[in-house]
Amino acid sequence: MCAGIDYINANSQKILIVLILALGFALRFYNLTGVPFGFHGDEAAIGYNAYTILTKGTDEYGVPFPMFFRSFGEYKSAVQIYSTVPFIIIFGLNEFSTRLVSVFYAMLSLIAAYLLTLELFKTERQKKTIAILTLFFLAISPWHIQFSRVAYEIMPFLFFTTLGLYLFLKAQERPNFLLLSIISFAFALYSYFTGRMFIPILGISLFIIYFKFFHSHKKETFISFILLLILLIPFMQSLISQVSLVRWKQSSLFYHPPQNESIIQAITYNYLEHFSPYFLFITGNNALPNNPILRDAVNGMGELYLFQLPLIILGIYVLLKRKNKTKDNAFKILLLLFVLYPLGGMFASDGSPFARRSVIGVIPFQIVSAVGGAYFIHVIMKMKKTGAALTICGTAIIVIISFIYYLNLYFILYPKYSSSWWGWQYGPKDIVAYFVSHENQYNDLVMPYVFNGPQEFFKFYAPGNCKKCKIGLPDNYYNSDRKQLYALPPNYFASHQMYNYKRLKTLYYPDGSIAFVLSEVKLK
């Protein structure tokens, strides 16, 4: 491997990095509250808990400054929620401030991936080329963009894991960085459910691979070990109290074993599916059997661009060729990440692979693509000018068309089919707004329970207000003696013809179909 972007002058490299970061930010910030269209109950719970931490110093149930936040059906991790507090201070409690936290961590993860790549290939002449290509591929990655625009707990996990790896590699030359690496990994552990499994196994694996380092730096190892034990106290307490096991019990094969095969067969199948070409390059998360959820990916492509497939093959070839010729451990670290990346989904009983549970895989796939890309650039530079120019133009056209195709899938088509139950569950914001503005006219304001955690939306959109708001249907609350307003799904009217309906406002999905109708109800 030889010349590439590394031979561009330093100022031009900096400009290129800034342009890629600007592109990455634009892709994550543009129309943040409009795409995805809707706002899921998990997002509302994160935003509201951050609000109660800010205003009361407790979670929504009155527990002061918890490390694990009780939510509907599970316990949420702390990092995303606490990180949301300053954004609510600046922008208030709303969808924008709640989602902007993920954009913030997504941009940090881009920088962390760039630094990690430089450190992985520090002995490589073309390290800047590989690092900048990694940054570019991650900036336009559908897998990364999908979760960087919504208020899930995923982006902090991705950032702190990547940063922790970078700091750990830096510690090989500057052992004091080991403490910072431990702290970063601890943040990753407390960021997302998958981290509670992934980070301990990653840490043990790094200890084995770098045993000589730990053995030769006993002082730093001992101090780091003590710090690790202290940082793990809340995690160990959560294991004893079963808090950390709630989600595991809900979705694990060990608690919900398959009927037609053994658990070992199911785990093996789940693991291997993470390397399926269909999942990675062709149909992606949404086309998997038994997985109707539309919140993890767009329809029409894999988690990676198809043009990355030959680059990944080239990258694997280069890594295998160089693994015994260089002093860095790039091959070992990337192999470790590929081996471990399915951990979050391989034990799942509710469908696998899920793009969100295996999101850490987005990092090694981009790095290996970049290695292949750097080698491809090397090959082009050896070609005659005409051949090189044609190859560069052809490659650029393929990349640009692929990128535009994804932009259309995500920003234009995705909102039209991902706003209902299996998607982002549009409706509560406009329903609650209407309820609040007409609260004085009614005794009861009733929203249907066709959302995940519907009670969270009253708290999020009308904290301290809407005292008359309830969750249910006329089946639960109808009272002819009370003035009532209901938000009803469109299929309710045909199946409940015993009522007369006075339709006051209709809410529509982006595809033009009816989402909800706000109506007064009377028995015939």
Side-chain angles (χ1 to χ4, degrees):
M1 295 173 67
C2 59
I5 295 174
D6 294 71
Y7 278 71
I8 300 175
N9 66 66
N11 287 334
S12 296
Q13 289 180 15
K14 291 176 182 177
I15 292 172
L16 185 57
I17 291 169
V18 170
L19 289 174
I20 294 172
L21 288 173
L23 173 64
F25 178 75
L27 291 171
R28 288 153 181 81
F29 184 79
Y30 169 73
N31 198 13
L32 185 60
T33 59
V35 183
F37 191 82
F39 194 70
H40 194 257
D42 284 326
E43 298 182 279
I46 286 171
Y48 183 68
N49 275 283
Y51 175 79
T52 59
I53 286 291
L54 173 63
T55 56
K56 302 176 183 178
T58 70
D59 68 3
E60 62 179 295
Y61 296 100
V63 179
F65 299 104
M67 286 299 294
F68 297 93
F69 287 75
R70 183 161 72 110
S71 189
F72 54 95
E74 62 172 344
Y75 284 80
K76 297 193 181 301
S77 299
V79 176
Q80 179 89 12
I81 292 174
Y82 285 111
S83 299
T84 305
V85 171
F87 291 86
I88 291 177
I89 292 174
I90 298 171
F91 300 106
L93 177 61
N94 51 54
E95 295 175 0
F96 177 76
S97 62
T98 306
R99 284 184 172 176
L100 189 60
V101 183
S102 291
V103 177
F104 171 75
Y105 276 115
M107 297 308 298
L108 291 180
S109 70
L110 291 178
I111 297 170
Y114 172 80
L115 295 175
L116 172 62
T117 307
L118 283 179
E119 194 61 30
L120 280 173
F121 296 95
K122 61 185 177 182
T123 63
E124 178 64 58
R125 288 180 61 191
Q126 217 173 358
K127 63 181 180 182
K128 283 285 185 68
T129 302
I130 299 172
I132 291 175
L133 285 175
T134 297
L135 180 65
F136 174 69
F137 290 144
L138 191 59
I140 66 170
S141 164
W143 202 349
H144 193 269
I145 292 170
Q146 184 74 23
F147 300 113
S148 62
R149 295 177 55 87
V150 295
Y152 280 172
E153 304 155 296
I154 295 172
M155 282 298 122
F157 166 67
L158 195 65
F159 165 64
F160 284 113
T161 302
T162 308
L163 178 65
L165 269 173
Y166 165 71
L167 293 170
F168 180 80
L169 294 177
K170 290 293 288 185
Q172 307 311 300
E173 295 177 353
R174 300 175 63 180
N176 288 335
F177 274 59
L178 185 60
L179 286 171
L180 297 176
S181 176
I182 293 294
I183 293 171
S184 186
F185 282 137
F187 272 101
L189 179 76
Y190 290 112
S191 292
Y192 183 44
F193 171 77
T194 295
R196 302 172 206 174
M197 183 187 311
F198 182 86
I199 295 300
I201 296 177
L202 175 64
I204 293 170
S205 302
L206 290 175
F207 181 80
I208 294 171
I209 295 172
Y210 288 88
F211 181 77
K212 289 183 179 179
F213 165 78
F214 289 105
H215 186 264
S216 60
H217 296 87
K218 294 183 176 64
K219 177 183 175 182
E220 290 83 0
T221 299
F222 177 76
I223 295 173
S224 297
F225 180 70
I226 297 301
L227 175 63
L228 178 62
L229 290 179
I230 294 171
L231 293 173
L232 286 178
I233 289 174
F235 177 62
M236 299 307 296
Q237 290 175 333
S238 73
L239 289 177
I240 294 171
S241 66
Q242 303 287 300
V243 165
S244 283
L245 299 178
V246 171
R247 187 61 178 155
W248 172 258
K249 291 179 180 179
Q250 291 175 346
S251 60
S252 168
L253 282 164
F254 295 101
Y255 287 88
H256 306 278
Q259 296 181 353
N260 301 320
E261 60 183 347
S262 69
I263 291 178
I264 297 300
Q265 288 174 320
I267 291 173
T268 303
Y269 175 81
N270 286 349
Y271 182 87
L272 294 176
E273 278 296 287
H274 286 81
F275 300 96
S276 162
Y278 288 95
F279 170 67
L280 293 174
F281 301 106
I282 303 172
T283 56
N285 186 102
N286 291 356
L288 297 170
N290 303 317
N291 179 22
I293 295 174
L294 297 170
R295 294 186 291 275
D296 293 348
V298 298
N299 292 337
M301 68 179 297
E303 303 306 316
L304 306 170
Y305 290 101
L306 190 56
F307 72 75
Q308 288 183 264
L309 177 57
L311 297 182
I312 289 172
I313 294 172
L314 277 177
I316 293 172
Y317 164 75
V318 171
L319 288 168
L320 288 171
K321 187 177 178 181
R322 75 188 288 280
K323 71 183 180 74
N324 295 321
K325 297 180 181 179
T326 56
K327 295 181 180 180
D328 60 58
N329 280 330
F331 179 83
K332 290 181 179 178
I333 294 298
L334 290 171
L335 179 61
L336 176 63
L337 290 176
F338 278 123
V339 169
L340 297 184
Y341 111 85
L343 274 175
M346 63 186 289
F347 302 106
S349 63
D350 54 353
S352 184
F354 270 94
R356 79 178 80 165
R357 294 171 182 167
S358 57
V359 70
I360 192 64
V362 75
I363 300 298
F365 276 114
Q366 310 313 318
I367 294 175
V368 175
S369 296
V371 173
Y375 182 78
F376 183 61
I377 291 173
H378 162 60
V379 172
I380 291 175
M381 293 181 69
K382 285 188 171 183
M383 297 170 63
K384 294 182 179 180
K385 290 184 177 180
T386 302
L390 290 173
T391 303
I392 291 171
C393 289
T395 302
I397 290 171
I398 291 172
V399 173
I400 291 171
I401 290 176
S402 300
F403 180 50
I404 293 174
Y405 175 71
Y406 166 68
L407 292 181
N408 180 64
L409 289 181
Y410 183 78
F411 287 101
I412 306 300
L413 300 180
Y414 185 58
K416 295 180 180 179
Y417 62 82
S418 66
S419 302
S420 57
W421 166 256
W422 292 112
W424 295 98
Q425 300 181 1
Y426 160 75
K429 179 181 179 180
D430 292 337
I431 291 172
V432 175
Y434 194 89
F435 281 1
V436 171
S437 64
H438 295 80
E439 187 172 9
N440 294 334
Q441 302 173 27
Y442 295 94
N443 301 117
D444 302 302
L445 301 152
V446 188
M447 184 172 75
Y449 37 72
V450 291
F451 307 103
N452 287 114
Q455 68 281 356
E456 297 295 335
F457 295 110
F458 292 139
K459 301 173 185 178
F460 182 86
Y461 291 116
N465 298 318
C466 207
K467 302 296 184 183
K468 301 174 183 177
C469 293
K470 299 176 176 65
I471 302 297
L473 293 165
D475 312 53
N476 314 107
Y477 286 108
Y478 178 75
N479 187 330
S480 60
D481 296 327
R482 296 175 67 84
K483 181 78 167 175
Q484 297 178 318
L485 177 64
Y486 291 90
L488 300 172
N491 60 358
Y492 188 85
F493 300 96
S495 60
H496 293 77
Q497 298 185 19
M498 73 286 290
Y499 298 115
N500 286 318
Y501 300 97
K502 181 181 179 181
R503 305 187 185 205
L504 303 176
K505 184 177 178 64
T506 302
L507 305 179
Y508 296 91
Y509 291 122
D511 65 359
S513 62
I514 296 175
F516 299 96
V517 181
L518 284 80
S519 306
E520 294 178 2
V521 176
K522 290 291 182 182
L523 271 174
K524 290 181 178 178

